[in-house]
């Protein structure tokens, strides 16, 4: 076996954001994920690579999907997984994140997958711990593995992201998925538009190199990929837009509106969907929809990230 | 016994003084200042001599915006540790904010603070009374009694007075008692739940933003109310270019408005938050480069009268948490001199302007003694070695609050002596 | 003493060709007319060698054997030692391995650890009836009880030397070199 593979490689201890990654690093994760995808098609969906490693999923926000995806990924690599769910209410009055971190460190985990409602929490944890930290979503800031699986899905279908036009539709302001995808797709050479009502588009977002549209038809015109974001009705209705009905009428993806897209355009959604609000059922289940592929690729991407980080530089190896 | 401070450069804008001079102190007061070459010359034999060769001698610094946390939050700071921090930072007088527990909304708490300050016998402590009972922004506190107990101003600092009518009444009432109203300007419905400046950095970090307009909306309101009532309003911790414009216009119209800025708003931008260091979390938040430049310009042209620290000490448990959950505030007393002399070094201010902003103006605004070395005034002075650099290490702070975003910074300008009423209350370890 | 920077050609292009032809005829001899025999190459050179062997066997037997690719990275016993993990490439075994006769193919047999990893990987795909091993070069120094069934060239080496196999598909020409530890490659 060639030793050349050792020369290049992944040196990071943590995966905290897409913003911090180079194009080459993103490419490396996506290539690795492509290779890992095959494992999930085998009868025996397991390789021994991370045998003896401990992966803790630490979730301060409920998310069955992401947690399960990480857990399956870790198990397919033969790692031991432990799931900890913390209710946010106990965080505020209970021990500090740093206390929690040091307690976990004492149990010598290798990788901690953190979901937290506070932006930057994974960075704090990563700084305090020897273990690798994977950001599984922090507040409104980033959700790097989601963007990676989105990029993997589009790359699979389109061959490359270079020169593609992505339109992200909906609640950009409160979306970590939007931020990570803006950074990721831009780095990979795509053009990115954000589409939504003025209240849901953060002021100054043009500084991230995206174009802003408040008209859905205009915003998705010619797009190769349209990504609808989940609308959190409880939080937004009345304050950020008048009603769900009005939102659906002006910003919901329907078959009629989608005629504006490029031929063979892809429809994506990070889930869970509100059918009939940000996306109509016939679009969600229609021909361009790759929503289920996104879920499948999520496992492969997370296997790739776990694999690469487990070989990343540990604190004590730093010179 | 007399004290003679000799060999230093004395800068006292209250008497247009900048040059080598000997300072004579007797009975806790300035007895005389002898300019170099003047005939008096030579310290008498019975005087205690303080050698200040190559040092800068200025009227004791007056920090008109300090949180001493006592009573109620003694784990963050006490009047003793706060006073120790003050004199170590060259500050001889502090005005302390009423957001204690219980708050300083009645005479008994004011008297408690004054008694503790007297026991500490370090910096002079001037309490600021609450505008509203319980700092709730509803009913007025007993402002007359507060004044009688010794407060020098009123403020609900830490919380804005959101009800415009309450603010109007406070100004009308305080004016009659000759008290300035210090306003923490923040429209809470606009800043709601934000933890940093709203701008490209908050966008990148996914943190809820506090827009500059949240501050400016209330600065505008309070300027108009000051104009309407004729009351002196002092705008605390100005942080935006828009506020600067509003204050500049108001001053031009002759409105009785004064304003302060903190050292951190003068030297840091919101880029510092990228470190996720919760010690960069402060209210008002660190703003953009353009805001910082506007604040520096406002200091230079006199729109902003005062540099005050907004010293807000916190315990580790308040800060070692997620950024959004962390407490707002910076422990500022012990970095005041180093940070603001940096502005002098960079040419933002000259030394005389600097003394005006950190000593003379705040003393005048609060109507307290100090800010000057004219004979007969209290011998409050600060002696600074402007040539020595030091590294900010919060572990060495006298303050209980180790929360500073300047940890590790190399600052030039070190306090060597602090004198209050002619007593050396701080002397740097040499 | 400076490290040996020398290089020795063990097989040139025609040597490689002859070795592969010999191996193919040995395989055909041992498995006459067995169309269900399959060749699985270990990344990267093993893939090319497996395809060449399949072609040679086709020439002898008139049977096209199925081939597959195995990437043993995930089964290695030497990862996670403070250096980045090697990049993983696809494993492609496009046929069921249950009850099949499989010949694993690699370029160099050295410690035997790669073969061990490949066996583990293969077993995760099913239960073959028989597994054999074919290598172009056997250079000795085994650390595990593994031996090859078909060997192109047996050569005795010292531990610090390296055997370099170049295949036409990847590098334009077939060649097997034995180089000293100080060898810096060709400019």
């Amino acid at each position: 076996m060639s030793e050349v593979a050792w020369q290049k490689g992944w040196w990071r201890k943590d995966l905290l954001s897409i913003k911090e990654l180079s194009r080459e690093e993103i490419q490396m994760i996506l290539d690795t994920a492509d290779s890992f995808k095959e494992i999930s098609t085998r009868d025996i969906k397991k390789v021994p690579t991370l045998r003896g490693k401990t992966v803790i999923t630490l979730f301060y926000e409920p998310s069955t999907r992401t947690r399960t995806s990480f857990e399956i990924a870790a198990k397919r690599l033969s790692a031991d997984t432990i799931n900890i769910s913390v209710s946010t209410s106990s965080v505020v009055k209970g021990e500090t994140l740093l206390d929690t971190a040091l307690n976990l460190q004492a149990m010598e985990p290798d990788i901690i997958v953190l979901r937290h409602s506070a932006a930057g929490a994974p960075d704090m944890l990563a700084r305090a711990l020897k273990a690798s930290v994977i950001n599984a979503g922090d507040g409104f800031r980033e959700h790097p593995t989601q963007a990676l699986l989105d990029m993997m899905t589009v790359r699979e279908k389109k061959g490359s992201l270079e020169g593609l036009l992505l339109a992200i539709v909906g609640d950009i302001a409160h979306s970590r998925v939007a931020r990570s995808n803006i950074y990721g797709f831009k780095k990979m050479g795509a053009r990115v538009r954000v589409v939504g009502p003025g209240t849901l588009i953060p002021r100054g977002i043009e500084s991230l190199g995206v174009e802003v549209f408040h008209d859905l038809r205009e915003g998705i015109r010619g797009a190769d990929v349209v990504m609808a974001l989940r609308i959190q009705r409880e939080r937004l209705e009345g304050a950020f837009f008048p009603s769900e009905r009005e939102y659906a009428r002006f910003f919901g993806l329907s078959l009629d509106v989608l005629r504006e897209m490029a031929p063979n355009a892809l429809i994506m959604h990070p889930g869970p969907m509100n059918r009939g609000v940000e996306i109509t059922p016939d679009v969600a289940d229609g021909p361009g929809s790759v929503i289920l592929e996104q879920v499948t690729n999520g496992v492969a991407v997370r296997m790739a990230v776990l694999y690469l980080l487990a070989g990343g530089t540990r604190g004590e190896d730093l010179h | 016994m007399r004290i003679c401070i000799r060999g230093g450069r004395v800068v006292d804008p209250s008497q247009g003084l900048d040059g080598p001079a000997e300072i004579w102190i007797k009975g806790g007061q300035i007895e005389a200042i002898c300019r170099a070459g003047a005939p008096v010359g030579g310290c008498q034999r019975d005087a205690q001599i303080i050698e200040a060769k190559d040092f800068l001698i200025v009227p004791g610094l007056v920090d008109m915006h300090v949180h001493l946390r006592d009573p109620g939050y003694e784990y963050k700071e006490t009047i003793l540790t706060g006073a120790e921090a003050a004199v170590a930072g060259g500050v001889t007088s502090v005005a302390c904010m009423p957001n204690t527990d219980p708050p300083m909304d009645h005479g008994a708490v004011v008297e408690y603070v004054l008694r503790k300050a007297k026991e500490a016998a370090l910096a002079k402590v001037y309490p600021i009374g609450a505008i509203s009972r319980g700092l709730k922004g509803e009913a007025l506190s007993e402002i007359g009694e507060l004044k009688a107990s010794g407060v020098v101003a009123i403020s609900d600092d830490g919380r804005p007075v959101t009800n415009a009518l309450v603010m109007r009444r406070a100004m009308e009432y305080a004016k009659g008692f000759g008290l300035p109203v210090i306003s923490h300007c923040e429209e809470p419905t606009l800043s709601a739940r934000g933890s940093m400046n709203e701008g490209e950095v908050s966008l990148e970090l996914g943190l809820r933003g506090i827009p500059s307009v949240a501050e400016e909306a209330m600065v505008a309101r309070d300027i108009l109310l000051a104009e309407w009532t004729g009351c002196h309003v002092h705008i605390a911790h100005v942080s935006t270019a828009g506020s600067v414009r509003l204050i500049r216009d108001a001053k031009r119209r002759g409105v009785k408005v004064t304003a302060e800025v903190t050292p951190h708003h003068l030297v840091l931008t919101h880029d510092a938050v990228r470190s996720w260091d919760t010690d960069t979390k402060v209210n008002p938040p660190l703003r953009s480069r353009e805001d910082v430049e506007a604040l520096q310009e406002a200091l230079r042209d006199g729109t902003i009268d005062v540099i005050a620290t907004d010293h807000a000490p916190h315990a580790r448990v308040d800060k070692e948490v997620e950024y959004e959950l962390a407490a707002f505030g910076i422990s500022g007393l012990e970095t005041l001199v180093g940070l603001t002399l940096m502005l002098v070094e960079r040419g933002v201010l000259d030394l005389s302007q600097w003394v005006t902003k950190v000593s003379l103006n705040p003393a005048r605004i609060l109507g307290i003694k100090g800010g000057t070395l004219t004979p007969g005034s209290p011998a409050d002075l600060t002696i600074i070695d402007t040539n020595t650099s030091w590294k900010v290490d919060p572990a060495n702070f006298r303050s209980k609050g180790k929360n500073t975003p300047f940890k590790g910074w190399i600052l030039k300008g070190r306090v060597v002596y602090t004198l209050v009423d002619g007593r050396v209350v701080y002397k740097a370890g040499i | 003493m400076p490290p040996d920077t020398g290089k020795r050609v063990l097989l040139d292009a025609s040597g490689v060709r002859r070795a592969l032809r010999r191996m193919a005829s040995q395989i055909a001899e041992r498995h006459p007319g067995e169309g269900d025999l399959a060749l699985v190459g270990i990344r990267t050179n093993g893939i090319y060698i497996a395809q060449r062997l399949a072609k040679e066997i086709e020439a002898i037997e008139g049977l096209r054997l199925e081939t597959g690719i195995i990437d043993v990275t995930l089964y290695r016993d030497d990862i996670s030692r403070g250096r980045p993990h090697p990049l993983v490439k696809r494993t492609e075994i496009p046929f069921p391995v249950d009850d099949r006769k499989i010949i694993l193919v690699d370029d160099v047999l050295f410690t035997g650890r790669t073969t061990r990893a490949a066996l583990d990987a293969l077993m995760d795909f099913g239960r073959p009836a028989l597994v054999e091993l074919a290598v172009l070069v056997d250079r000795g120094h085994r650390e595990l009880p593994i031996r090859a069934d078909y060997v192109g060239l047996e050569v005795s080496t010292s531990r610090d030397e390296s055997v370099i196999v170049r295949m036409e598909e990847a590098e334009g020409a077939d060649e097997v070199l034995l180089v000293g530890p100080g060898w810096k490659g060709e400019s």
Side-chain angles (χ1 to χ4, degrees):
Chain A
M1 181 160 170
S2 161
E3 289 289 305
V4 178
W6 292 102
Q7 308 299 320
K8 287 195 292 178
W10 183 268
W11 287 96
R12 285 179 192 275
K13 169 174 145 327
D14 311 296
L15 177 66
L16 303 176
S17 69
I18 297 291
K19 182 174 198 303
E20 70 186 355
L21 298 183
S22 68
R23 183 187 168 108
E24 289 67 34
E25 284 172 310
I26 293 173
Q27 203 111 40
M28 195 186 301
I29 297 172
L30 298 185
D31 291 348
T32 306
D34 280 345
S35 308
F36 275 118
K37 198 171 175 181
E38 167 266 324
I39 293 168
S40 299
T41 65
R42 298 182 191 174
D43 280 346
I44 301 175
K45 298 176 178 55
K46 204 179 186 75
V47 292
T49 320
L50 297 188
R51 208 165 43 189
K53 303 273 182 201
T54 304
V55 175
I56 295 181
T57 65
L58 177 58
F59 274 56
Y60 285 81
E61 270 184 351
S63 164
T64 313
R65 254 165 217 264
T66 306
R67 195 188 52 67
T68 308
S69 179
F70 269 107
E71 189 178 348
I72 290 177
K75 292 205 153 121
R76 288 192 179 156
L77 291 169
S78 301
D80 296 313
T81 61
I82 294 140
N83 301 314
I84 305 177
S85 296
V86 193
S87 77
T88 317
S89 57
S90 74
V91 181
V92 180
K93 51 183 188 288
E95 58 179 12
T96 69
L97 181 63
L98 209 65
D99 289 335
T100 311
L102 295 173
N103 272 295
L104 289 175
Q105 185 65 61
M107 298 180 232
E108 303 282 349
D110 298 284
I111 297 179
I112 293 177
V113 178
L114 179 69
R115 159 68 62 91
H116 202 294
S117 57
D123 301 67
M124 286 184 70
L125 209 63
R127 211 176 304 151
L129 298 188
K130 275 195 298 175
S132 291
V133 175
I134 298 174
N135 179 3
D138 62 331
F140 305 149
R141 184 217 186 183
E142 283 227 33
H143 190 352
T145 56
Q146 176 71 42
L148 289 164
L149 73 89
D150 290 340
M151 289 189 271
M152 176 179 179
T153 307
V154 174
R155 199 174 76 157
E156 241 174 35
K157 298 285 175 186
K158 298 283 183 187
S160 155
L161 303 189
E162 194 73 54
L164 292 185
L165 179 59
L166 165 70
I168 309 177
V169 181
D171 182 5
I172 311 294
H174 305 104
S175 175
R176 51 193 170 216
V177 175
R179 277 178 181 73
S180 287
N181 270 314
I182 290 170
Y183 290 127
F185 277 81
K186 294 279 300 170
K187 279 175 206 254
M188 302 312 284
R191 287 190 297 140
V192 181
R193 291 174 177 177
V194 293
V195 188
T199 45
L200 295 178
I201 307 275
R203 215 173 115 84
I205 196 162
E206 296 85 353
S207 67
L208 301 184
V210 301
E211 280 182 279
V212 175
F213 288 83
H214 300 302
D215 180 292
L216 180 60
R217 281 173 197 276
E218 248 177 70
I220 65 173
R221 192 161 295 151
D224 302 291
V225 183
V226 174
M227 188 181 291
L229 298 176
R230 179 179 167 74
I231 283 297
Q232 277 195 300
R233 178 186 172 178
E234 327 74 62
R235 170 156 66 194
L236 304 176
E237 198 172 26
F240 290 86
F241 50 79
S243 68
E244 203 174 85
R245 214 178 114 242
E246 176 155 324
Y247 183 88
R249 176 169 166 202
F250 289 98
F251 298 98
L253 296 184
S254 64
L255 281 180
D256 174 47
V257 172
L258 293 187
R259 278 195 273 272
E260 302 288 344
M261 305 191 307
N264 305 316
L266 305 178
I267 305 293
M268 307 183 89
H269 192 296
M273 280 183 280
N274 298 305
R275 287 169 191 266
V277 185
E278 68 264 10
I279 192 164
T280 59
D282 46 358
V283 171
D285 307 324
S289 169
V290 289
I291 293 168
L292 290 176
E293 274 102 322
Q294 286 174 272
V295 179
T296 305
N297 287 341
V299 175
V301 151
R302 288 168 181 129
M303 286 174 81
V305 168
L306 289 166
Y307 169 76
L308 290 172
L309 287 186
T313 308
R314 299 267 82 72
E316 65 263 32
D317 301 322
L318 289 170
H319 301 297
Chain B
M1 193 167 81
R2 287 193 170 88
I3 298 174
C4 171
I5 304 169
R6 67 181 188 195
R9 171 184 175 188
V10 180
V11 176
D12 179 8
S14 75
Q15 38 185 332
L17 187 64
D18 181 356
E22 267 177 23
I23 296 178
W24 288 83
I25 295 168
K26 190 184 172 192
Q29 295 185 336
I30 305 289
E31 185 186 16
I33 295 191
C34 311
R35 292 174 198 245
V40 181
C43 287
Q44 290 173 1
R45 230 176 275 129
D46 69 334
Q48 177 197 342
I49 309 243
I50 294 177
E51 285 294 351
K53 192 165 170 351
D54 300 328
F55 293 160
L56 173 69
I57 304 164
V58 297
L61 273 47
V62 178
D63 188 346
M64 67 178 290
H65 194 144
V66 166
H67 297 270
L68 292 180
R69 307 292 191 208
D70 185 358
Y73 305 99
E74 292 85 350
Y75 72 101
K76 295 178 193 260
E77 191 85 292
T78 64
I79 290 166
L80 177 62
T81 57
E84 281 174 344
V87 296
V91 174
T92 56
S93 294
V94 298
C96 59
M97 286 296 174
N99 57 341
T100 48
D101 185 19
M104 282 196 279
D105 60 358
H106 57 284
V109 186
V110 176
E111 281 151 25
Y112 163 85
V113 170
L114 289 171
R115 190 176 75 246
K116 286 281 173 182
K118 200 171 173 193
E119 284 167 20
L122 295 163
K124 293 173 179 170
V125 174
Y126 295 96
I128 295 168
I131 290 175
S132 64
R133 219 174 287 166
L135 304 169
K136 291 200 172 82
E138 294 159 8
L140 294 182
S141 55
E142 291 169 334
I143 293 170
E145 183 195 284
L146 288 168
K147 161 102 183 190
S149 305
V151 306
V152 292
I154 55 168
S155 179
D156 272 1
D157 184 68
R159 297 186 192 180
V161 178
T162 53
N163 185 321
L165 181 59
V166 172
M167 193 52 145
R168 173 190 170 166
R169 300 281 191 239
M171 288 189 190
E172 286 170 337
Y173 195 78
K175 186 189 169 195
F177 285 91
L179 289 174
V181 174
I182 301 176
S183 179
H184 168 122
C185 290
E186 175 186 351
E187 174 48 57
T189 56
L190 285 174
S191 63
R193 296 205 289 155
S195 17
M196 68 172 299
N197 181 49
E198 181 173 335
E200 78 254 25
V201 182
S202 69
L203 179 70
E204 171 193 324
L205 299 181
L207 288 172
R208 284 193 185 85
I210 301 175
S212 46
V213 69
E215 172 175 315
E216 291 150 8
M218 201 173 278
V219 169
R221 183 200 74 176
D222 286 351
I223 284 172
L224 293 171
L225 286 174
E227 195 168 14
W228 182 264
T229 61
C231 179
H232 173 186
V233 69
H234 176 81
I235 310 293
H237 43 55
V238 172
S239 73
T240 78
S243 298
V244 166
R245 276 194 300 274
L246 290 163
I247 296 164
R248 190 176 285 136
D249 287 352
K251 284 191 161 187
R252 210 169 282 153
R253 288 202 306 279
V255 182
K256 276 176 81 174
V257 57
T258 52
E260 73 189 27
V261 61
T262 71
H264 45 268
H265 288 114
L266 287 167
V267 300
L268 288 179
T269 66
H270 55 175
D271 292 293
V273 182
R274 287 204 172 92
S275 65
W276 294 110
D277 178 1
T278 54
D279 290 343
T280 63
K281 186 174 174 186
V282 65
N283 190 18
L286 301 173
R287 303 286 190 182
S288 71
R289 166 73 38 211
E290 296 72 45
D291 292 310
V292 170
E293 281 163 11
L295 292 169
Q296 293 184 356
E297 175 58 29
L299 207 53
R300 206 168 19 228
D301 73 11
T303 303
I304 293 179
D305 311 88
V306 170
I307 299 174
T309 60
D310 193 4
H311 176 73
H314 285 294
R316 285 164 53 112
V317 293
D318 303 317
K319 286 288 194 181
E320 279 181 354
V321 294
E322 297 82 338
Y323 201 91
E324 288 164 42
L325 302 178
F328 288 102
I330 290 174
S331 176
L333 279 167
E334 288 162 87
T335 49
L336 168 63
V337 166
L339 290 171
T340 50
L341 281 179
M342 194 159 76
L343 300 174
V344 174
E345 178 119 342
R346 290 184 191 162
V348 175
L349 294 174
D350 63 31
L351 261 185
S352 164
Q353 284 172 316
W354 178 71
V355 175
T356 305
K357 308 289 182 189
V358 297
S359 180
L360 179 60
N361 281 350
R364 282 183 178 163
I365 287 168
L366 297 175
I368 62 174
K369 288 181 177 170
T372 176
L373 299 176
T374 47
S377 48
D380 296 349
L381 36 83
T382 305
I383 303 177
I384 299 163
D385 175 357
T386 53
N387 295 313
T388 299
S389 296
W390 57 286
K391 189 173 178 181
V392 179
D393 179 358
N396 297 333
F397 278 9
R398 266 62 165 190
S399 169
K400 284 192 183 180
K402 313 300 181 192
N403 48 307
T404 174
F406 301 106
K407 43 193 164 287
W409 282 40
I410 307 289
L411 298 180
K412 202 167 159 194
R414 179 166 158 269
V415 175
V416 282
Y417 289 98
T418 306
L419 281 77
V420 170
D421 288 333
R423 250 169 0 100
V424 176
V425 289
Y426 174 78
K427 184 175 178 222
I430 297 176
Chain C
M1 205 176 71
D4 179 10
T5 58
K7 122 185 152 166
R8 183 153 65 93
V9 177
L10 297 179
L11 293 172
D12 59 10
S14 63
V16 170
R17 200 164 51 243
R18 277 196 299 276
L20 289 175
R21 196 167 297 156
R22 195 166 56 246
M23 289 163 73
S25 65
Q26 284 169 0
I27 292 168
E29 202 169 305
R30 201 181 291 181
H31 302 281
E34 292 180 24
D36 67 336
L37 195 63
L39 298 166
V40 173
I42 299 174
R43 273 194 191 273
T44 306
N45 280 337
I47 305 171
Y48 312 131
I49 297 171
Q51 282 158 353
R52 301 259 200 106
L53 287 175
K55 207 176 287 173
E56 297 285 354
I57 292 166
E58 190 179 7
I60 300 167
E61 294 272 299
L63 282 169
R64 183 69 194 182
L65 301 184
E66 285 184 289
T67 59
I69 297 169
I70 219 162
D71 184 311
V72 300
T73 311
L74 298 172
Y75 295 81
R76 286 171 67 145
D77 58 7
D78 59 346
I79 60 174
S80 281
R81 296 252 179 106
R83 48 181 180 176
H85 281 176
L87 299 184
V88 181
K89 300 225 175 70
R90 263 175 195 275
T91 290
E92 291 164 31
I93 303 182
F95 46 82
V97 302
D98 279 339
D99 300 323
R100 288 289 287 267
K101 291 181 178 174
I102 306 277
I103 299 177
L104 282 174
V105 182
D106 202 358
D107 54 356
V108 180
L109 179 57
F110 183 23
T111 61
R113 289 178 190 271
T114 302
T115 312
R116 193 279 309 159
L119 281 167
D120 282 355
L122 190 61
M123 297 308 164
D124 278 355
F125 282 83
R127 186 181 184 281
L130 168 81
V131 182
E132 290 179 334
L133 176 64
V135 298
L136 182 59
V137 182
D138 179 351
R139 60 167 292 192
H141 302 290
R142 215 76 76 241
E143 293 168 2
L144 294 172
I146 281 169
R147 59 162 186 81
D149 300 277
Y150 312 96
V151 178
L153 173 72
E154 224 164 298
V155 61
S156 68
T157 61
S158 71
R159 259 191 167 277
D160 57 359
E161 288 173 312
S162 302
V163 173
I164 293 175
V165 176
R166 291 175 173 154
M167 301 300 294
E168 194 183 337
E169 291 86 339
E171 311 198 44
D174 293 339
E175 192 176 37
V176 178
L177 305 176
L178 179 66
V179 301
W183 189 72
K184 295 278 193 297
E186 285 139 3
S187 47

